[in-house]
Amino acid sequence: MSSVSPESSIPSSVPSAVPDRPLPVVRLRVPTEEDAYAWHRVFDDPEVMEFHGGRSAEVSVYEELTARQRRHDAEHGFCLWTMLDENDEVIGFTGAQPWPLDDWGPAGEVEIGWRLGRAHWGRGYATAAARATLDRVRAKGLDHVVAMVHPDNTRSLAVTERLGMTLSRTYESRVSGTEVPCFRLELGR
């Protein structure tokens, strides 16, 4: 089995935050070693990291993360894919992975997620890429997915709404004590 998922271009006519404007085309690929540096560059922004620890991560964090995603793709057929815009510029990631913790959150579930560079916010990329993720995980036989979203992250909460996700339950964060909503989406066949 190849560790490289086919890339996809996803034009979408699903409504975006801006009425009468189609979602952009995005391509997804399994992250490369070089993507660790691209992710570091794109996410090196306090606003991007506000709900992900509040500060930029070291390159080594992204080196480990991209390596783990290549393993997920080889084992499961899905991962957090590198998100590319219509000019093949790395703008973030989106995808699905098994929830990484067994002592907090939706243990045993597959979580979808997205993170986008600040320059690309508000243009529909996260929604378009998340819809592509749903198509891919559905094709791999998953019957549902979850998404954990910080309750103050209004942009990500809006993406879960556009995807049709519904609140399943909340989990108290081990770090902040904040009740974090967990959304669920039945994928159906």
Side-chain angles (χ1 to χ4, degrees):
M1 176 177 205
S2 171
S3 66
V4 177
S5 293
E7 296 178 352
S8 66
S9 294
I10 309 295
S12 181
S13 59
V14 177
S16 67
V18 179
D20 300 323
R21 192 170 96 186
L23 292 176
V25 173
V26 294
R27 265 187 340 105
L28 307 177
R29 71 168 184 226
V30 175
T32 65
E33 290 180 25
E34 294 79 22
D35 285 340
Y37 300 97
W39 289 6
H40 179 264
R41 182 184 69 255
V42 171
F43 303 144
D44 188 20
D45 180 314
E47 286 186 84
V48 171
M49 298 305 292
E50 179 179 6
F51 303 108
H52 307 285
R55 67 182 205 289
S56 296
E58 299 295 323
V59 170
S60 61
V61 170
Y62 295 110
E63 289 171 329
E64 190 282 325
L65 182 57
T66 56
R68 185 176 43 202
Q69 298 314 311
R70 289 189 294 276
R71 286 191 306 274
H72 285 324
D73 183 68
E75 294 171 14
H76 306 291
F78 55 83
C79 65
L80 294 178
W81 293 288
T82 294
M83 189 187 322
L84 303 155
D85 69 6
E86 51 277 341
N87 299 313
D88 284 339
E89 178 184 343
V90 174
I91 61 172
F93 65 62
T94 190
Q97 63 179 345
W99 179 256
L101 305 171
D102 60 5
D103 62 343
W104 181 80
E109 299 282 4
V110 172
E111 182 193 30
I112 64 168
W114 44 85
R115 188 179 305 166
L116 193 59
R118 174 70 184 95
H120 305 285
W121 287 4
R123 295 168 40 197
Y125 285 110
T127 299
R131 287 188 182 280
T133 293
L134 295 176
D135 290 342
R136 288 182 176 200
V137 297
R138 187 179 291 114
K140 290 296 177 185
L142 271 66
D143 60 3
H144 73 277
V145 292
V146 299
M148 295 285 289
V149 180
H150 189 284
D152 296 331
N153 189 342
T154 58
R155 292 177 181 280
S156 282
L157 291 170
V159 173
T160 64
E161 186 176 324
R162 286 190 288 275
L163 296 176
M165 301 187 87
T166 56
L167 181 63
S168 173
R169 62 172 292 181
T170 61
Y171 294 92
E172 184 176 318
S173 168
R174 295 180 308 179
V175 176
S176 68
T178 303
E179 287 291 319
V180 180
C182 180
F183 297 88
R184 182 179 172 108
L185 180 65
E186 298 297 328
L187 297 175
R189 297 219 182 253

